[in-house]
């Protein structure tokens, strides 16, 4: 999966968590939770979705590395390859 | 015979509209079964029944608007029958504007039994769909009701249901429900507020230790610690787990009303039943079940009516401190701000710790500052020893 495909996949998962938002419109450095209005419950559901759909278990200590699309893509890119 | 009445779904709800009967006359029902779906300001609510027996009569038709407290069904529990010569139930006090006078149930029943011509297939379809025979217009031979007539009625019912679920209506309905409850609270309840700052170091360290061993779907959020600690603390201060209705009514069960923010605005407060007796994993499972249903406005009647004390947590990116408004007729609410790093002085030393500001809003008719302080102190103690809860 290349970076663009990964981005599309992530946006799809975010859309499931926050259906009323437009994750495709996120800029690379936007704080995902702030822009999409995701609370801690939804944030955990997103971490669960990453585990179930991409096979990446993000430990709590790494949550901060998933705050923007750029950080998340970098993090997942390392974990998947 | 038992008269099953339209339950109250909170201080802010006065009526609802029947969307669907989920049981039909002759069905056996037991405690917790869903008997109907009612559209309210808080969405489409599944109405649970709290008796056991056989459904004898359903007294509303789909689309009827009915006030809280009105008898909507009669359940035969095997006890003494109602007198035959006169119905023992009152006809539902519906508030449908075009209703003129109550229907005579006996004659209606007789009429339905003897005069309606309907094919067996059409009858079964009507019964399965909760459509009353009296609502159907027969276009078959001699005015007989045919399968097509029932299909037409089902289609009309479906479109009515869909229409009533319009997101705009729901959003406005929720706003009005919140406005009604909060205005009533502010008008009638003399609030007092207490505030404590709590060191979350132990609680967060313990949670991290728990979560590191767990897969993402089994992880716990700090809010389950808050819920359990609040439920245990309120047990020590029973006047906060109560109602005020011309006097203090203590509640036996501890059902924590958990405030859920809706994406389109507004809040809804489903109950987590017997929270004091549940493990943290059970509480997390309850949240996983309740929050999505609350956001889709698909709750059960008991979840909207049974809360005895409310907890509201602003979340990680919210305000530092939250001063809540009590949900009437309850007597207390705990408000929890966001966790943030703050300077902390202890034993003459200064440290930086993760802290949270916790407030209690309490009804001064029901309790005083001393018991409120006791509650906050107990809440803090439980959070300092999360392994014990």
């Amino acid at each position: 999966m290349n970076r663009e495909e990964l981005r599309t996949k992530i946006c799809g998962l975010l859309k499931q968590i926050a259906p009323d938002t437009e994750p495709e419109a996120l800029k690379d450095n936007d704080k995902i939770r702030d822009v999409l209005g995701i609370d801690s419950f939804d944030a955990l559901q997103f971490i669960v979705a990453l585990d179930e759909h991409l096979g990446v278990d993000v430990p709590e200590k790494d949550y901060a590395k998933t705050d923007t699309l750029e950080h998340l893509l970098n993090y997942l890119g390392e974990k998947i390859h | 015979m038992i008269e099953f009445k339209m339950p109250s779904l909170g201080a802010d709800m006065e009526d609802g509209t029947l969307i669907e009967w989920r049981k039909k006359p002759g069905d056996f029902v037991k405690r917790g079964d869903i008997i109907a779906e009612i559209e309210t300001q808080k969405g489409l609510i599944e109405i649970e029944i709290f008796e056991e027996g056989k459904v004898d009569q359903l007294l509303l038709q789909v689309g009827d608007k009915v006030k809280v407290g009105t008898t909507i069904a009669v359940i035969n529990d095997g006890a003494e029958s109602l007198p035959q010569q006169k119905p023992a139930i009152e006809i539902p006090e519906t508030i449908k504007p075009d209703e003129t006078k109550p229907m005579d149930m006996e004659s209606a029943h007789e009429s339905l039994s003897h005069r309606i011509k309907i094919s067996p297939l059409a009858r079964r379809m009507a019964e399965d769909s909760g459509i009353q025979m009296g609502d159907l217009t027969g276009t078959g031979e001699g005015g007989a009701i045919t399968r097509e007539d029932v299909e037409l009625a089902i289609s009309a019912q479906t479109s009515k249901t869909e229409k009533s679920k319009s997101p705009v209506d729901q959003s406005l309905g929720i706003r009005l429900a919140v406005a009604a409850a909060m205005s009533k609270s502010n008008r009638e309840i003399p609030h007092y507020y207490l505030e404590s700052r709590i060191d979350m170091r132990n609680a967060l360290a313990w949670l991290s230790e728990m979560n590191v061993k767990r897969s993402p779907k089994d992880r716990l959020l700090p809010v389950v610690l808050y819920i359990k600690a609040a439920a245990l603390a309120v047990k020590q201060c029973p006047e906060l787990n109560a109602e005020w209705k011309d006097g203090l009514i203590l509640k036996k069960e501890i059902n924590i009303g958990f405030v859920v923010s809706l994406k389109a605005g507004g809040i809804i407060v489903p109950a987590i039943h017997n929270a004091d007796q549940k493990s943290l994993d059970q509480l997390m499972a309850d949240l996983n079940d309740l929050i999505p249903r609350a956001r889709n406005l698909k709750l059960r009647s008991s979840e909207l009516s049974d809360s005895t004390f409310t907890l509201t947590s602003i979340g990680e990116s919210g305000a530092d401190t939250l001063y809540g408004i009590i949900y009437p007729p309850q007597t207390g609410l705990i408000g929890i701000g966001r966790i943030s790093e703050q300077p902390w002085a202890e034993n003459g030393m200064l440290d930086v710790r993760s802290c949270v500001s916790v407030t209690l809003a309490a009804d001064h008719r029901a309790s005083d500052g001393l018991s409120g302080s006791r509650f906050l102190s107990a809440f803090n103690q439980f959070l300092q020893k999360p392994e014990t809860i």
Side-chain angles (χ1 to χ4, degrees), chain B residues 151-253:
Chain B
E151 284 173 347
L152 196 66
I154 291 171
S155 158
Q157 179 175 296
T158 306
S159 77
K160 189 174 184 177
T161 306
E162 292 307 317
K163 192 179 169 190
S164 70
K165 288 178 185 172
S166 144
V168 176
D169 289 351
Q170 284 182 343
S171 186
L172 179 63
I174 291 287
R175 199 66 260 162
L176 292 174
V178 172
M182 297 301 97
S183 299
K184 180 180 170 68
S185 177
N186 219 23
R187 202 168 49 238
E188 297 177 5
I189 301 179
H191 288 62
Y192 72 89
Y193 289 93
L194 301 173
E195 181 176 349
S196 273
R197 194 170 61 122
I198 291 179
D199 175 7
M200 287 294 288
R201 189 178 51 171
N202 290 347
L204 294 180
W206 183 83
L207 264 185
S208 291
E209 198 182 322
M210 287 294 109
N211 284 339
V212 79
K213 306 171 203 160
R214 294 164 176 248
S215 70
K217 70 178 172 51
D218 295 325
R219 285 179 197 157
L220 302 173
L221 290 169
V223 74
V224 294
L225 284 177
Y226 298 152
I227 293 168
K228 186 67 186 276
L232 293 174
V234 89
K235 207 171 188 172
Q236 298 182 13
C237 308
E239 60 270 46
L240 295 175
N241 190 64
E243 284 184 3
W244 183 271
K245 282 183 182 169
D246 299 324
L248 188 63
I249 305 165
L250 300 179
K251 293 290 184 176
K252 215 170 176 179
E253 291 186 346

Side-chain angles (χ1 to χ4, degrees), chain B residues 32-51:
Chain B
D33 280 355
I34 309 296
I35 190 170
E37 283 192 27
I38 302 271
E39 181 79 39
T40 73
Q41 286 180 317
K42 296 174 180 176
L44 197 59
I45 306 304
E46 293 182 326
I47 303 294
E48 295 156 289
I49 199 151
F50 294 96
E51 314 292 348

Side-chain angles (χ1 to χ4, degrees), chain A:
Chain A
M1 201 182 300
N2 65 33
R3 196 172 170 92
E4 211 40 50
E5 289 169 336
L6 192 54
R7 184 193 182 98
T8 306
K9 185 81 181 168
I10 289 168
C11 288
L13 295 177
L14 287 169
K15 185 78 179 170
Q16 284 176 25
I17 303 296
D20 300 330
T21 64
E22 299 298 335
E24 303 81 10
L26 277 170
K27 297 187 187 79
D28 279 358
N29 291 314
D30 281 346
K31 296 279 187 188
I32 298 173
R33 288 185 54 175
D34 292 347
V35 173
L36 301 186
I38 289 177
D39 62 17
S40 50
F41 178 79
D42 288 338
L44 180 56
Q45 302 313 306
F46 180 59
I47 296 292
V48 171
L50 291 176
D51 184 31
E52 290 178 349
H53 294 268
L54 297 173
V56 178
D57 177 351
V58 183
E60 272 192 335
K61 65 179 176 55
D62 288 348
Y63 284 0
K65 297 177 183 173
T66 65
D67 61 342
T68 65
L69 262 186
E70 185 174 359
H71 290 159
L72 183 56
L73 284 166
N74 292 342
Y75 181 81
L76 293 177
E78 283 175 22
K79 291 277 182 179
I80 290 171
H81 290 117

Side-chain angles (χ1 to χ4, degrees), chain B residues 21-316:
Chain B
W21 282 117
R22 299 267 285 266
K23 300 288 178 189
K24 56 183 185 301
D27 284 355
F28 281 96
V29 290
K30 60 182 188 307
R31 186 181 169 85
D33 280 355
I34 309 296
I35 190 170
E37 283 192 27
I38 302 271
E39 181 79 39
T40 73
Q41 286 180 317
K42 296 174 180 176
L44 197 59
I45 306 304
E46 293 182 326
I47 303 294
E48 295 156 289
I49 199 151
F50 294 96
E51 314 292 348
E52 193 160 324
K54 191 162 84 170
V55 177
D56 190 68
Q57 294 175 67
L58 300 176
L59 302 176
L60 291 185
Q61 295 183 4
V62 169
D64 280 353
K65 200 169 184 181
V66 65
K67 284 182 178 173
V68 166
T70 305
T71 303
I72 61 173
V74 179
I75 309 298
N76 185 347
D77 62 346
E80 194 179 335
S81 297
L82 300 174
Q84 288 299 309
Q85 68 278 18
K86 187 184 169 192
I89 56 159
E90 291 296 323
I91 300 305
E93 186 192 353
T94 66
I95 51 176
K96 198 165 67 174
D98 60 350
E99 181 149 315
T100 49
K101 62 176 187 177
M103 176 174 57
D104 179 331
M105 293 305 293
E106 273 194 351
S107 62
H109 180 73
E110 187 180 331
S111 159
L112 290 178
S113 304
H114 295 99
R115 295 182 200 159
I116 291 178
K117 287 184 183 175
I118 183 166
S119 72
L121 174 61
R123 178 183 295 277
R124 197 169 68 243
M125 287 170 65
E127 285 173 354
D128 288 349
S129 308
I131 290 174
Q132 303 289 324
M133 311 290 177
D135 288 350
L136 294 165
T137 307
T139 58
E141 194 178 334
I145 296 164
T146 64
R147 186 183 71 176
E148 288 75 20
D149 297 329
V150 180
E151 284 173 347
L152 196 66
I154 291 171
S155 158
Q157 179 175 296
T158 306
S159 77
K160 189 174 184 177
T161 306
E162 292 307 317
K163 192 179 169 190
S164 70
K165 288 178 185 172
S166 144
V168 176
D169 289 351
Q170 284 182 343
S171 186
L172 179 63
I174 291 287
R175 199 66 260 162
L176 292 174
V178 172
M182 297 301 97
S183 299
K184 180 180 170 68
S185 177
N186 219 23
R187 202 168 49 238
E188 297 177 5
I189 301 179
H191 288 62
Y192 72 89
Y193 289 93
L194 301 173
E195 181 176 349
S196 273
R197 194 170 61 122
I198 291 179
D199 175 7
M200 287 294 288
R201 189 178 51 171
N202 290 347
L204 294 180
W206 183 83
L207 264 185
S208 291
E209 198 182 322
M210 287 294 109
N211 284 339
V212 79
K213 306 171 203 160
R214 294 164 176 248
S215 70
K217 70 178 172 51
D218 295 325
R219 285 179 197 157
L220 302 173
L221 290 169
V223 74
V224 294
L225 284 177
Y226 298 152
I227 293 168
K228 186 67 186 276
L232 293 174
V234 89
K235 207 171 188 172
Q236 298 182 13
C237 308
E239 60 270 46
L240 295 175
N241 190 64
E243 284 184 3
W244 183 271
K245 282 183 182 169
D246 299 324
L248 188 63
I249 305 165
L250 300 179
K251 293 290 184 176
K252 215 170 176 179
E253 291 186 346
I254 296 175
N255 303 327
I256 302 294
F258 182 73
V259 177
V260 177
S261 288
L262 302 177
K263 302 288 185 190
I267 53 169
I268 199 157
V269 192
I272 299 172
H273 290 94
N274 302 306
D276 57 317
Q277 296 167 29
K278 289 181 173 165
S279 69
L280 297 177
D281 284 313
Q282 284 173 308
L283 292 172
M284 194 66 214
D286 279 5
L287 290 183
N288 284 332
D289 170 48
L290 272 180
I291 293 175
R293 284 198 293 112
R295 288 191 168 145
N296 287 320
L297 302 179
K298 294 278 285 179
L299 293 168
R300 298 185 192 109
S301 49
S302 63
E303 290 163 346
L304 280 175
S305 59
D306 290 355
S307 297
T308 56
F309 181 83
T310 299
L311 182 147
T312 178
S313 172
I314 201 78
E316 289 168 32

